[in-house]
């Protein structure tokens, strides 16, 4: 299992997308083995390589890692994106958990019934602009630095940029009241490894559409 990390997941964003983002930001090339049918998933389960019978699963450094948070923490620590001490790590964790909550709401939106989508979309925008983005705007303002923690690129910055771009897909002007986050988005997007990931043809996945929702429902029996 040496060589490039290998990612096992569907051909969409889901819980694997943040892992793709973090590896790309660290400048790590990775391979993907897509789960395209129910049988593909069953094969992995039957082979005993999924600790809890679930994906995402990442083969890295001789391990078959599962559980999104565990995978992300490992990558962040391995590639020096996890702060210089326990306090910085705690701040990174708090910021990441916040963006994870927001991204979770956005991630599940396409899977919700049509009659509740509008209401849930409004809730996402409300939460983004009153609960989550003000925290990051204030953090940048209070310490006057380019990054969220320790004035150095960390997992928290990568995660926040991903969350911002997802929120902008819901409402393009969602950052209108957050000038420091607008500047942050520009800075982080221009880091060479991230800029490359944002170009067409990269391993970044498109927003979830109805066609993909149907595929996921079939694979996972939902």
């Amino acid at each position: 299992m040496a060589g490039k990390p290998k990612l096992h997941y569907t051909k969409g964003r889901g819980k694997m997308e943040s892992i793709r983002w973090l590896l790309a930001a660290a400048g790590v090339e990775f391979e993907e083995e897509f789960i395209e049918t129910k049988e593909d998933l069953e094969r992995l389960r039957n082979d005993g390589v999924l600790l809890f019978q679930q994906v995402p699963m990442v083969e890295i450094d001789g391990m078959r890692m599962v559980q999104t948070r565990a995978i992300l923490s490992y990558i962040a620590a391995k590639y020096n994106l996890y702060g210089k001490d326990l306090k910085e790590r705690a701040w990174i964790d708090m910021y990441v958990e916040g963006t994870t909550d927001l991204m979770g709401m956005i991630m599940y939106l396409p899977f919700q019934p049509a009659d509740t989508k509008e209401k849930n979309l409004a809730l996402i925008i409300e939460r983004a602009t009153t609960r989550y983005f003000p925290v990051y705007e204030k953090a940048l303002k209070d310490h006057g630095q380019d990054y969220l923690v320790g004035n150095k690129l960390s997992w928290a910055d990568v995660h926040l940029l991903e969350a911002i771009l997802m929120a902008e897909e819901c409402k393009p002007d969602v950052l209108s009241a957050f000038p420091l986050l607008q500047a942050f988005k520009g800075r982080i997007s221009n880091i060479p490894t991230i800029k490359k990931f944002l170009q067409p043809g990269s391993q970044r996945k498109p927003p979830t559409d109805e066609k993909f929702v149907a595929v996921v429902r079939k694979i996972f029996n939902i």
Side-chain angles (χ1 to χ4, degrees):
M1 283 193 284
K4 295 178 186 175
K6 185 186 273 190
L7 282 49
H8 296 263
Y9 201 64
T10 59
K11 244 182 191 164
R13 288 184 181 175
K15 292 188 173 183
M16 185 66 90
E17 191 70 356
S18 292
I19 296 166
R20 297 181 185 112
W21 265 89
L22 199 57
L23 285 168
V28 179
E29 291 185 6
F30 57 88
E31 297 172 351
E32 299 192 79
E33 194 160 302
F34 294 116
I35 297 166
E36 300 186 74
T37 64
K38 202 170 163 181
E39 290 70 35
D40 290 342
L41 180 61
E42 283 307 314
R43 200 173 302 115
L44 281 176
R45 285 174 172 164
N46 294 335
D47 287 348
V49 298
L50 302 179
L51 194 61
F52 300 110
Q53 307 289 308
Q54 294 171 312
V55 289
M57 190 268 279
V58 175
E59 295 184 57
I60 184 169
D61 295 343
M63 296 184 290
R64 291 188 173 111
M65 291 197 74
V66 296
Q67 296 297 340
T68 312
R69 171 80 205 200
I71 297 165
L72 286 165
S73 299
Y74 182 83
I75 294 165
K78 180 178 169 75
Y79 295 104
N80 200 22
L81 294 167
Y82 211 176
K84 70 176 186 301
D85 55 32
L86 272 176
K87 280 191 177 178
E88 285 195 358
R89 187 167 288 202
W91 276 106
I92 289 166
D93 284 341
M94 286 192 282
Y95 288 143
V96 163
E97 290 298 323
T99 38
T100 299
D101 290 345
L102 176 60
M103 288 195 285
M105 293 173 73
I106 299 170
M107 195 188 303
Y108 292 116
L109 188 66
F111 293 89
Q112 292 166 356
D115 58 346
T116 62
K117 267 188 194 168
E118 202 170 314
K119 183 179 151 195
N120 287 316
L121 179 59
L123 180 63
I124 287 166
I125 303 306
E126 190 262 330
R127 288 277 167 85
T129 54
T130 65
R131 180 178 293 189
Y132 296 109
F133 290 162
V135 169
Y136 304 108
E137 183 81 3
K138 185 176 186 299
L140 293 168
K141 184 181 180 183
D142 286 354
H143 61 43
Q145 296 171 343
D146 287 348
Y147 304 101
L148 285 172
V149 180
N151 206 24
K152 180 178 181 289
L153 182 70
S154 75
W155 173 20
D157 301 303
V158 178
H159 220 241
L160 176 55
L161 178 61
E162 183 187 359
I164 286 170
L165 296 182
M166 285 175 75
E168 285 184 334
E169 287 168 355
C170 295
K171 188 176 190 284
D173 65 348
V174 74
L175 286 188
S176 58
F178 304 101
L180 296 180
L181 282 182
Q182 290 173 38
F184 171 90
K185 175 192 161 189
R187 278 195 307 277
I188 307 300
S189 296
N190 276 301
I191 290 168
T193 52
I194 294 174
K195 191 173 184 177
K196 185 180 174 188
F197 188 62
L198 291 171
Q199 299 303 311
S202 80
Q203 286 166 293
R204 186 182 179 213
K205 302 297 179 270
T208 301
D209 58 17
E210 285 180 20
K211 189 179 172 188
F212 183 67
V213 167
V215 170
V216 169
R217 287 193 190 283
K218 207 168 177 183
I219 295 170
F220 295 99
N221 258 344
I222 53 174

